[in-house]
């Protein structure tokens, strides 16, 4: 009988549980996807293990961040749902149900919902992993055969993580319910909201809130001086400042509007402002957390999408697209597959028997070939690259970088470079060596063929040490591009999906908070209806009230992001590039959650 009553209660709150269920399902799906990519050894069997080992570290960081946010989300969502069901449980106790029975019931309900959400999330995560991994593999140029999104260890880790979370939540729910008296359970939605009207304290909070936010924004803006301390200072001050702002500044604005009689007595503004005044007194902590989650979510998507610009910087750092250390039939055959725009050869000799090995190049060779390189100069936080031509005087002057740049185009980058005349060059013992310098059309589209060509052209006779040959490859443009692309791609995907998960959690948390008070608000709307208020005005009041509650953390979150992006200037050339794209995506999804909340709230308070 008790289970039938419980199922009836769940059916009556189906929409509320559906919101919780969707948020948990999305979190489980993304957690599984991150876990699969981070721990699946199939990726390390690809064509370049180092590329994905870096990406794995990025996704492990994403797992840790997602786990923390999911924990916060479950705590908030669980407490709101429990508060909405307290009256039901109190009724069961009046009907004769024992505390132990109710405790087992709430424990089982919490665990079952968690297991169902986790199971569905894993199923969605398998499909999501299949799609995302293929996009990631394609973007990194890896070659994996028969890779599947299904990975048993990732499933086990996901199940263990969420089961532990829901088990702890169920224990807490049971403890909280059993220790609460029946009277308090029955009158949960009738608890008065305490308002503090101490003007001195409110003024102090206004000053503290704005001052702390200013300090936090300054810390994020001046990150190049504070370094990692800017994050620590910014987090603490922005968290505390946001709380004081919600508790004082917005309340002060509402009080000022209530004193404006023309505005107050227009339509249902007096009622709406009264509702908001009581809401903000009860919502301070929730709005503070949501504003920070909003900033994290929007920041994750913005930064993630902008990480793709790192690959452009990587391309600017090296002038020649490929350097061929040897030419044979296989290399020449592969060379036909790339669209070569310009080809230059450099002749040189080496004398490695001396104590200080030397690389010899003729002055005629340097003057004739006009070999170029990219010279980097730091401007603020970013490197600016300028193309320069290697000259004889520049190579002879060891204080300049031309000497090193010329040597780095050969497998002997640590050798000293000496410029000699053609006559002296002929007398130097040793075989003439040659490297071919290539400029190729559309580096990105030809990347896989360029990388293959670069690997095939390694001179295995340079050193018997395989690590030495690998260093030669690591200095190439294709290796640098792959290295940066692996980091950029990992952060791009992680940022986008973390942002979506955070958005679902923060919006549904605010939705729970609004809907949890809907039943206690219903008598007020019934009273307004009875005294003649039109349904259109009531709906307008609801939209304004809920819209304000959604807008306040969003506005503060956007300001947090605009200042917080300064921290990434040391990594990204322009973290604000195309900022309208992530902002538009995010705000459209956020607006969708707002409209759903308004619809659900209207169905409760305006139900005939």
């Amino acid at each position: 009988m008790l289970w039938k009553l419980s199922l009836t209660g769940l059916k009556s709150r189906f929409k509320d549980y559906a919101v919780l269920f969707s948020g948990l399902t999305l979190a489980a799906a993304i957690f599984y996807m991150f876990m699969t990519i981070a721990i699946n050894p199939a990726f390390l069997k690809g064509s370049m293990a180092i590329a994905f080992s870096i990406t794995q570290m990025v996704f492990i960081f994403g797992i840790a961040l997602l786990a923390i946010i999911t924990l916060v989300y479950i705590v908030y969502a669980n407490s709101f749902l429990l508060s909405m069901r307290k009256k039901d449980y109190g009724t069961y106790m009046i009907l004769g149900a024992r505390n132990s029975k109710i405790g087992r019931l709430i424990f089982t309900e919490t665990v079952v919902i968690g297991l169902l959400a986790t199971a569905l999330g894993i199923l969605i995560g398998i499909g999501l992993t299949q799609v995302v991994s293929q996009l990631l593999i394609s973007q990194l140029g890896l070659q994996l055969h028969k890779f599947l999104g299904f990975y048993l260890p990732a499933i086990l880790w996901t199940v263990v993580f969420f089961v532990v979370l829901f088990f702890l939540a169920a224990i807490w729910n049971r403890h909280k319910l059993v220790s609460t008296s029946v009277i308090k359970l029955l009158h949960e939605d009738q608890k008065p909201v305490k308002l503090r009207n101490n003007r001195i304290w409110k003024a102090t909070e206004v000053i503290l809130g704005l001052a702390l936010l200013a300090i936090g924004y300054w810390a994020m803006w001046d990150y190049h001086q504070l370094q990692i301390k800017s994050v620590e200072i910014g987090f603490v001050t922005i968290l505390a400042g946001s709380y004081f702002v919600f508790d004082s500044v917005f309340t002060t604005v509402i009080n000022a509007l209530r004193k404006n009689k023309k505005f107050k007595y227009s339509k249902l503004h007096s009622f709406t402002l009264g509702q908001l005044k009581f809401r903000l007194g009860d919502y301070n902590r929730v709005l503070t957390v949501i504003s920070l989650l909003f900033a994290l979510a929007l920041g994750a998507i913005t930064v993630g999408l902008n990480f793709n610009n790192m690959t452009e910087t990587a391309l600017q750092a090296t002038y020649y697209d490929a350097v061929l250390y040897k030419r044979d039939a296989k290399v020449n055959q592969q060379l036909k597959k790339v669209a070569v725009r310009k080809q230059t050869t450099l002749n040189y000799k080496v004398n490695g028997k001396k104590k200080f090995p030397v690389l010899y190049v003729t002055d005629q060779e340097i003057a004739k070939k006009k070999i170029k390189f990219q010279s980097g100069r730091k401007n603020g936080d970013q490197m600016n690259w300028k193309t320069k031509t290697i000259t004889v005087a520049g190579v002879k002057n060891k204080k300049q970088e031309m000497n090193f740049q010329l040597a780095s185009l050969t497998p002997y980058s640590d050798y000293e470079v000496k410029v000699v005349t053609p006559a002296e060059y002929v007398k130097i013992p040793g075989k003439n060596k040659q490297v071919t310098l290539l400029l190729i059309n559309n580096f990105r589209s030809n990347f896989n063929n360029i990388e293959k060509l670069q690997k095939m052209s390694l001179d295995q006779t340079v050193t018997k040490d395989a690590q030495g040959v690998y260093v030669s490859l690591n200095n190439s443009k294709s290796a640098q591009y792959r290295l940066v692309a692996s980091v950029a791609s990992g952060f791009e995907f992680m940022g986008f999906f973390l942002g979506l998960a955070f958005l679902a959690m923060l919006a549904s948390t605010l939705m729970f908070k609004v809907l949890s008070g809907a039943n206690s608000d219903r008598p007020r709307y019934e009273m307004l209806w009875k005294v003649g208020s039109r349904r259109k005005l009531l709906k307008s009041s609801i939209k304004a009230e809920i819209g304000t509650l959604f807008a306040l953390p969003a506005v503060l979150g956007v300001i947090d992001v605009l200042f917080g992006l300064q921290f990434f200037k040391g990594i990204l050339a322009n973290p604000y590039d195309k900022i309208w794209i992530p902002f538009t995506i995010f705000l459209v999804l956020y607006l969708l959650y707002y409209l759903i909340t308004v619809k659900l709230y209207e169905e409760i308070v305006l139900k005939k």
Side-chain angles (χ1 to χ4, degrees):
M1 182 63 184
L2 198 58
W3 273 106
K4 288 183 180 180
L5 289 172
S6 176
L7 291 174
T8 304
L10 288 174
K11 277 182 77 175
S12 66
R13 297 282 185 181
F14 176 75
K15 291 179 181 177
D16 300 329
Y17 277 96
V19 174
L20 170 67
F21 198 78
S22 62
L24 291 174
T25 300
L26 182 61
I30 295 175
F31 186 91
Y32 170 80
M33 181 185 71
F34 283 9
M35 187 63 71
T36 302
I37 293 175
I39 67 174
N40 196 332
F43 287 117
L44 296 178
K45 298 176 183 177
S47 58
M48 192 150 183
I50 189 172
F52 222 96
S53 64
I54 295 172
T55 309
Q56 283 181 314
M57 288 189 291
V58 172
F59 278 95
I60 289 172
F61 172 74
I63 290 168
L65 197 56
L66 181 62
I68 295 170
I69 300 300
T70 303
L71 177 61
V72 175
Y73 170 68
I74 288 177
V75 169
Y76 269 98
N78 189 57
S79 64
F80 295 150
L81 285 175
L82 182 61
S83 67
M84 287 190 286
R85 292 294 309 276
K86 279 184 177 180
K87 190 172 183 178
D88 296 339
Y89 297 134
T91 304
Y92 300 158
M93 289 181 180
I94 286 180
L95 293 174
R98 287 177 296 175
N99 282 7
S100 57
K101 281 278 186 180
I102 298 295
R104 283 201 299 269
L105 180 65
I106 186 63
F107 183 91
T108 308
E109 280 181 6
T110 306
V111 172
V112 168
I113 289 171
L115 288 175
L116 290 175
T118 305
L120 183 59
I122 289 173
L123 291 176
I124 295 173
I126 290 171
L128 195 62
T129 303
Q130 192 68 38
V131 174
V132 172
S133 61
Q134 291 304 319
L135 289 173
L136 197 54
I137 290 166
S138 174
Q139 199 159 336
L140 291 174
L142 298 176
Q143 297 177 0
L144 303 184
H145 303 288
K146 297 180 180 180
F147 174 79
L148 296 175
F150 178 86
Y151 187 55
L152 186 58
I155 292 176
L156 295 176
W157 275 109
T158 305
V159 170
V160 168
F161 174 73
F162 281 92
V163 165
V164 169
L165 281 186
F166 279 102
F167 187 80
L168 293 175
I171 293 174
W172 171 250
N173 283 349
R174 185 184 182 283
H175 168 74
K176 196 171 182 180
L177 192 69
V178 171
S179 61
T180 307
S181 65
V182 177
I183 297 297
K184 287 185 178 180
L185 291 175
L186 290 173
H187 297 284
E188 175 67 23
D189 57 350
Q190 298 175 14
K191 290 192 301 185
V193 177
K194 295 180 181 179
L195 293 178
R196 292 173 298 172
N197 294 315
N198 189 322
R199 292 185 178 181
I200 297 175
W201 173 242
K202 286 293 179 184
T204 306
E205 279 191 318
V206 170
I207 297 170
L208 274 175
L210 295 177
L212 287 170
L213 285 179
I215 293 171
Y217 295 150
W218 164 78
M220 300 305 292
W221 193 272
D222 200 29
Y223 73 94
H224 55 278
Q225 294 290 339
L226 299 173
Q227 299 297 325
I228 195 65
K229 289 182 179 178
S230 66
V231 177
E232 300 169 1
I233 295 171
F235 179 78
V236 174
T237 55
I238 290 174
L239 178 64
S242 299
Y243 178 81
F244 288 132
V245 164
F246 283 119
D247 195 40
S248 59
V249 176
F250 295 130
T251 307
T252 304
V253 172
I254 290 172
N255 288 333
L257 290 174
R258 283 168 61 86
K259 290 178 182 179
N260 186 329
K261 293 183 180 180
K262 186 177 179 181
F263 179 83
K264 180 180 179 180
Y265 294 117
S266 174
K267 298 181 181 179
L268 292 178
H269 290 167
S270 178
F271 173 75
T272 306
L273 290 173
Q275 285 278 95
L276 284 172
K277 186 175 181 180
F278 280 95
R279 292 269 194 230
L280 289 178
D282 188 38
Y283 280 41
N284 289 332
R285 286 179 294 178
V286 175
L287 293 179
T288 301
V289 172
I290 288 172
S291 70
L292 293 177
L293 283 177
F294 191 98
L296 281 173
L298 184 54
I301 293 177
T302 304
V303 173
L305 294 179
N306 275 325
F307 258 96
N308 192 45
N309 294 335
M310 286 180 63
T311 56
E312 290 298 329
T313 306
L315 293 178
Q316 295 172 10
T318 309
Y319 183 79
Y320 291 104
D321 297 321
V323 179
L324 308 184
Y325 299 115
K326 70 172 183 177
R327 297 285 294 271
D328 56 21
K330 290 184 178 180
V331 172
N332 290 332
Q333 186 66 30
Q334 180 65 23
L335 188 59
K336 295 177 182 178
K337 297 179 182 180
V338 297
V340 177
R341 176 161 50 93
K342 187 177 179 182
Q343 180 173 310
T344 306
T345 57
L346 173 65
N347 294 288
Y348 64 93
K349 285 184 179 180
V350 292
N351 188 346
K353 295 181 180 180
K354 293 183 178 181
K355 186 177 181 181
F356 301 102
V358 181
L359 186 150
Y360 297 97
V361 185
T362 67
D363 51 7
Q364 193 177 54
E365 183 81 2
I366 295 173
K368 183 180 178 182
K369 298 300 174 62
K370 292 183 169 46
I371 297 168
K372 302 183 184 301
F373 69 98
Q374 293 293 91
S375 177
R377 178 169 293 180
K378 199 164 186 179
N379 183 15
D381 299 307
Q382 294 297 321
M383 290 292 292
N384 289 336
W385 300 97
K386 184 179 179 182
T387 303
K388 292 185 179 181
T389 303
I390 295 176
T391 62
V392 175
V395 175
K396 288 182 178 180
N397 186 353
K398 295 181 181 180
K399 293 182 180 180
Q400 292 192 16
E401 60 180 329
M402 292 185 184
N403 195 292
F404 168 75
Q405 289 290 345
L406 185 64
S408 65
L409 293 173
T410 72
Y412 309 94
S413 57
D414 57 339
Y415 280 28
E416 179 188 356
V417 178
K418 282 193 176 181
V419 180
V420 295
T421 63
E424 292 172 330
Y425 185 80
V426 173
K427 296 177 182 178
I428 294 172
K431 184 181 178 182
N432 181 70
K433 293 179 180 291
Q434 189 179 78
V435 291
T436 306
L437 312 174
L438 302 178
L439 292 176
I440 299 168
N441 291 322
N442 299 322
F443 182 88
R444 285 176 181 268
S445 59
N446 280 285
F447 172 68
N448 287 332
N449 286 326
I450 292 171
E451 185 182 48
K452 189 175 181 181
L453 176 67
Q454 186 69 69
K455 288 180 179 180
M456 292 172 65
S457 68
L458 285 178
D459 189 353
Q460 301 294 336
T461 63
V462 172
T463 175
K464 296 298 182 183
D465 184 4
Q467 189 176 359
V469 177
Y470 182 73
V471 170
S472 296
L473 176 63
N474 203 34
N475 291 333
S476 67
K477 188 171 186 175
S478 59
Q480 292 296 327
Y481 178 80
R482 176 180 287 284
L483 193 67
V484 174
S486 65
V487 175
S489 299
F491 273 109
E492 187 177 355
F493 281 96
M494 185 195 73
F496 183 75
F497 286 102
L498 269 184
L500 289 182
F502 291 174
L503 172 63
M505 292 178 192
L506 74 90
S508 56
T509 298
L510 184 53
M511 187 186 295
F512 288 137
K513 186 63 176 174
V514 172
L515 296 179
S516 65
N519 284 318
S520 60
D521 291 339
R522 188 176 176 184
R524 302 186 187 101
Y525 286 93
E526 287 180 352
M527 188 185 304
L528 289 172
W529 174 261
K530 288 175 182 179
V531 298
S533 297
R534 288 175 295 166
R535 191 178 182 87
K536 184 178 179 181
L537 283 177
L538 294 176
K539 284 188 174 182
S540 177
S541 175
I542 290 170
K543 289 175 182 175
E545 179 187 340
I546 297 177
T548 303
L549 294 174
F550 268 78
L552 292 180
V555 170
L556 201 56
V558 167
I559 297 173
D560 292 346
V561 170
L562 293 177
F563 281 95
L565 287 175
Q566 285 289 319
F567 184 77
F568 294 93
K569 271 196 168 181
I571 305 172
L572 304 173
N574 182 16
Y576 298 94
D577 184 40
K578 297 177 183 177
I579 196 172
W580 64 271
I581 296 176
F583 271 55
T584 303
I585 294 171
F586 199 86
L587 292 176
V588 167
L589 294 174
Y590 193 65
L591 178 63
L592 183 62
Y593 269 97
Y594 159 71
L595 294 174
I596 293 172
T597 306
V598 168
K599 184 66 176 175
L600 294 175
Y601 189 85
E602 286 178 352
E603 288 182 0
I604 296 172
V605 300
L606 300 182
K607 189 176 180 181
K608 292 183 181 179

